[in-house]
Amino acid sequence: MFDIEEELKKLPGKPGVYIMHDERDTIIYVGKAISLKNRVRQYFQSSRNLGIKKEQMVEQIARFEYIVTDSELEALVLECNLIKEHRPKYNTMLKDDKTYPFIKVSVGEDYPRISIVRQMKKDKSKYYGPYTSGIAVKDVVELARKLYRLRSCSRNLPKDIGKERPCLYYQIHQCDAPCQGYITRENYRKNVDRLLDFLNGNHKEMLEELKEKMQNASEELRFEEAAQYRDLIQSVQRIGERQKITDQHGEDKDVVAVAQDGEDAVAQVFFVRSGKLIGRDHFFLHVAKGDSHAAILSSFLKQFYSGTPFIPKEIMLQEEIEDREVIAQWLEGKKGKKVSVHVPKKGTKEKLVELAMQNAELVLSQDRERIKREEGRTIGAVKEIAELLGLPGAERMEAYDISNISGFQSVGSMVVYEKGKPKKSDYRKFRIKTVKGANDYASMEEVLTRRFVHGQENPEETDCGFTRFPDLILMDGGRGQVNIALQVLEKLKLSIPVCGMVKDDRHRTRGLYYKNCEIPIDRNSEGFKLITRIQDEAHRFAIEYHRSLRSKGQVHSILDDIPGIGPARRKALMKHFMGADNIRQADVEELKQIPSMNEKAARAVFEFFHEGENME
């Protein structure tokens, strides 16, 4: 179990992002902190005054995790990325991505411009940021224009050179008028290079110049002007706070680093998608004494990417490994495109790898025992299930359930577990379209057919959740449900193991039904506990969807779905039997006793409630 009091003692006094999970491991809140130790502890203090919304959130926290960053700015931008990715229940949601400003330099033009934008585009320009202070960005851009005398107009140069007279910025000495040919392209480019050098972090020259001007203004009692220089210095310093959480190239990357202590090691993976760090995962490894970081890193890469369906364009490592080129070729074969595996030597990429190493070391030093328990609950439990069924592995498991009330608005649920953890992005809901009445078998057949046909017909939809087929299908029930699944798979020429989750008379998981026999399972094992969690999750997901549909159509009567039963007969049936459950238990002869019912109508009602009950 996650001991909150013990984990609070381990929190570092560093900037970062904290992530709150509920008992179902759903992310319910993401926040940032200058000091993780101070901020997270506040949530659990008896004297806290967080407001009603936060108080409700705290009551649901089952565990928390955190990612350490190098600055408050990085924490803020990472917080934004994670909120947009996971959309936690208790966070205020942003409506678009126009959150922080970037500085854009259009280096693809013959005479580049500097401007402030809110979105990065995949063009030939260079982007710097995002920055959290829009005022600071505006000040620095204006200062850069003054110092480097770059144009701000939208004229098409060199095509429009000499067509119009120079603008006001030339008159006030803030532009060298390339529109008139007053500066050569080469000299203009030298000014651009100086600007890029500044934006890349070389602020010393500009800061010294500003400090000198501030000092001179102060000595000459021009205090208002000195204050303006002081504000500009602060703006430059804020811009100079480098951050690595968003990458200007907007590409998919994984950052992998390991930390080792004796026979224990932790691999940390940062996931950068479309240029934004959106999450991380860590893996506890058992290694041999004397194994080098490079050997551990190489072994982890082979195991991790053999089981993950997504291969990024770039994988960044903390150090060189012997078989790097071979691993890159292997990944290219899996992805079908070029994959770069390399060790960054400078810039923000190197800093991001260092940040991953720092987080791996923290996890190893503080979370070792908890990770071991978590590994047992997840990956260890998956191994137990696979061994019990005689399977090579069960990394991805899909579970299905049907929910209805006497056949009204039947729905199906599909929940997905990967490596023993729920993958909620791949969950799917199904509203039954072709089945009338309470026919769970036919409803399940429709759900499975739609799921796997879609996966076969749309292999290019990499993000739809259907294209990767499971290693094991789990059915909520025994022989009947398993046989329905096997029939669907046989019809579609698919070979996937199918296992039933059998319940006892008290509706508790009893065992597994596999290959025509029931397999007992130790109730105290982690595998049994995982099966129970998956079964409960499939049921919960189906019930919630069904409840949402019922709330939208509460005035609908189940009898409306029976052919030949109009308002008069529906009213007579409900008046006589006093409820749908009593109607379900009646036979045809009892139904015929109702004055408005004939043989055909009585049989229609009976078949509606009892269709498919004899299926195996």
Side-chain angles (χ1 to χ4, degrees), residues 435-455:
V435 181
K436 299 294 183 181
N439 190 334
D440 285 357
Y441 291 130
S443 298
M444 185 60 74
E445 181 180 8
E446 178 188 325
V447 167
L448 292 171
T449 300
R450 285 165 56 186
R451 183 264 181 268
F452 289 106
V453 167
H454 189 100

Side-chain angles (χ1 to χ4, degrees), residues 593-607:
Q593 301 302 315
I594 307 300
S596 60
M597 299 289 287
N598 55 27
E599 175 82 22
K600 182 178 179 182
R603 192 160 297 281
V605 172
F606 182 83
E607 290 177 354

Side-chain angles (χ1 to χ4, degrees), residues 343-498:
V343 180
K345 300 296 184 183
K346 61 181 181 179
T348 57
K349 290 184 178 182
E350 182 188 25
K351 297 294 184 183
L352 191 56
V353 172
E354 290 178 0
L355 190 62
M357 289 172 56
Q358 184 181 356
N359 277 270
E361 289 167 355
L362 270 173
V363 170
L364 182 61
S365 63
Q366 299 181 355
D367 294 353
R368 184 179 306 178
E369 292 304 317
R370 183 174 64 82
I371 290 177
K372 285 183 177 179
R373 293 194 299 270
E374 183 66 19
E375 289 283 323
R377 290 181 70 249
T378 55
I379 296 176
V382 171
K383 289 180 179 177
E384 280 185 28
I385 295 169
E387 290 173 1
L388 187 68
L389 301 177
L391 300 175
E395 180 181 296
R396 180 183 173 100
M397 295 184 283
E398 293 181 3
Y400 296 85
D401 193 15
I402 300 294
S403 177
N404 62 64
I405 296 181
S406 299
F408 170 50
Q409 284 187 330
S410 292
V411 299
S413 70
M414 163 185 155
V415 301
V416 180
Y417 274 63
E418 285 192 355
K419 297 178 181 176
K421 297 180 181 179
K423 189 179 182 184
K424 299 198 177 226
S425 60
D426 282 4
Y427 282 20
R428 291 296 180 269
K429 305 169 184 175
F430 300 85
R431 191 166 184 171
I432 305 304
K433 300 176 180 179
T434 63
V435 181
K436 299 294 183 181
N439 190 334
D440 285 357
Y441 291 130
S443 298
M444 185 60 74
E445 181 180 8
E446 178 188 325
V447 167
L448 292 171
T449 300
R450 285 165 56 186
R451 183 264 181 268
F452 289 106
V453 167
H454 189 100
Q456 287 179 322
E457 294 179 350
N458 301 275
E460 72 284 352
E461 295 184 15
T462 55
D463 296 327
C464 77
F466 279 164
T467 51
R468 187 183 176 201
F469 288 169
D471 301 307
L472 177 65
I473 296 173
L474 295 168
M475 306 300 297
D476 186 47
R479 182 174 62 174
Q481 294 283 15
V482 169
N483 287 343
I484 287 294
L486 291 173
Q487 290 171 19
V488 172
L489 295 174
E490 183 179 3
K491 190 187 306 179
L492 299 176
K493 295 181 172 55
L494 294 173
S495 178
I496 302 173
V498 181

Side-chain angles (χ1 to χ4, degrees), residues 157-176:
L157 304 181
K159 181 180 177 181
D160 292 342
I161 288 180
K163 289 187 176 181
E164 298 181 29
R165 64 181 183 179
C167 66
L168 180 63
Y169 283 105
Y170 171 71
Q171 305 295 337
I172 61 176
H173 309 292
Q174 291 188 19
C175 178
D176 285 329

Side-chain angles (χ1 to χ4, degrees), residues 559 562-577 583-584 586-609:
L559 303 181
I562 305 176
I565 303 302
R569 283 175 172 163
R570 183 174 69 244
K571 184 177 180 180
L573 284 166
M574 293 300 292
K575 184 177 180 180
H576 180 83
F577 288 103
I583 299 174
R584 182 189 182 94
D587 58 25
V588 175
E589 291 301 320
E590 290 177 296
L591 293 168
K592 284 170 58 179
Q593 301 302 315
I594 307 300
S596 60
M597 299 289 287
N598 55 27
E599 175 82 22
K600 182 178 179 182
R603 192 160 297 281
V605 172
F606 182 83
E607 290 177 354
F608 176 82
F609 283 107

Side-chain angles (χ1 to χ4, degrees), residues 75-131:
L76 192 151
V77 177
L78 177 56
E79 176 196 33
C80 181
N81 292 347
L82 292 175
I83 289 173
K84 290 174 183 175
E85 178 69 17
H86 299 288
R87 305 188 67 81
K89 178 180 179 180
Y90 289 97
N91 279 100
T92 301
M93 303 309 301
L94 301 173
K95 294 183 180 296
D96 56 39
D97 290 333
K98 298 180 181 178
T99 312
Y100 303 119
F102 296 83
I103 293 177
K104 174 183 176 180
V105 183
S106 57
V107 294
E109 298 179 326
D110 288 330
Y111 294 87
R113 294 168 287 167
I114 180 174
S115 58
I116 302 172
V117 297
R118 292 281 175 170
Q119 288 181 321
M120 291 192 299
K121 297 181 179 179
K122 291 186 177 182
D123 52 22
K124 295 180 180 180
S125 301
K126 285 186 177 292
Y127 292 86
Y128 298 86
Y131 301 106

Side-chain angles (χ1 to χ4, degrees), residues 29-94:
Y29 188 77
V30 174
K32 70 170 180 67
I34 299 176
S35 170
L36 287 166
K37 182 177 183 179
N38 295 339
R39 183 70 184 101
V40 178
R41 289 178 68 89
Q42 291 176 3
Y43 286 95
F44 303 98
Q45 293 174 348
S46 58
S47 60
R48 65 177 185 260
N49 183 19
L50 303 173
I52 295 175
K53 182 178 177 181
K54 292 283 181 67
E55 292 284 356
Q56 292 174 344
M57 182 266 290
V58 170
E59 292 175 359
Q60 298 181 41
I61 297 174
R63 73 177 185 91
F64 60 80
E65 59 177 319
Y66 53 88
I67 303 175
V68 171
T69 61
D70 285 338
S71 67
E72 184 186 5
L73 169 61
E74 288 184 352
L76 192 151
V77 177
L78 177 56
E79 176 196 33
C80 181
N81 292 347
L82 292 175
I83 289 173
K84 290 174 183 175
E85 178 69 17
H86 299 288
R87 305 188 67 81
K89 178 180 179 180
Y90 289 97
N91 279 100
T92 301
M93 303 309 301
L94 301 173

Side-chain angles (χ1 to χ4, degrees), residues 268-317:
Q268 183 89 208
V269 184
F270 280 178
F271 304 109
V272 179
R273 300 294 178 260
S274 299
K276 296 179 180 179
L277 176 58
I278 63 166
R280 61 91 183 258
D281 207 348
H282 48 248
F283 304 86
F284 196 86
L285 309 172
H286 299 283
V287 300
K289 285 186 178 179
D291 278 355
S292 65
H293 277 103
I296 298 170
L297 197 55
S298 175
S299 177
F300 173 74
L301 290 175
K302 296 167 192 172
Q303 294 180 59
F304 179 72
Y305 289 108
S306 65
T308 183
F310 180 80
I311 310 281
K313 182 178 180 181
E314 183 179 359
I315 299 172
M316 299 188 294
L317 309 178

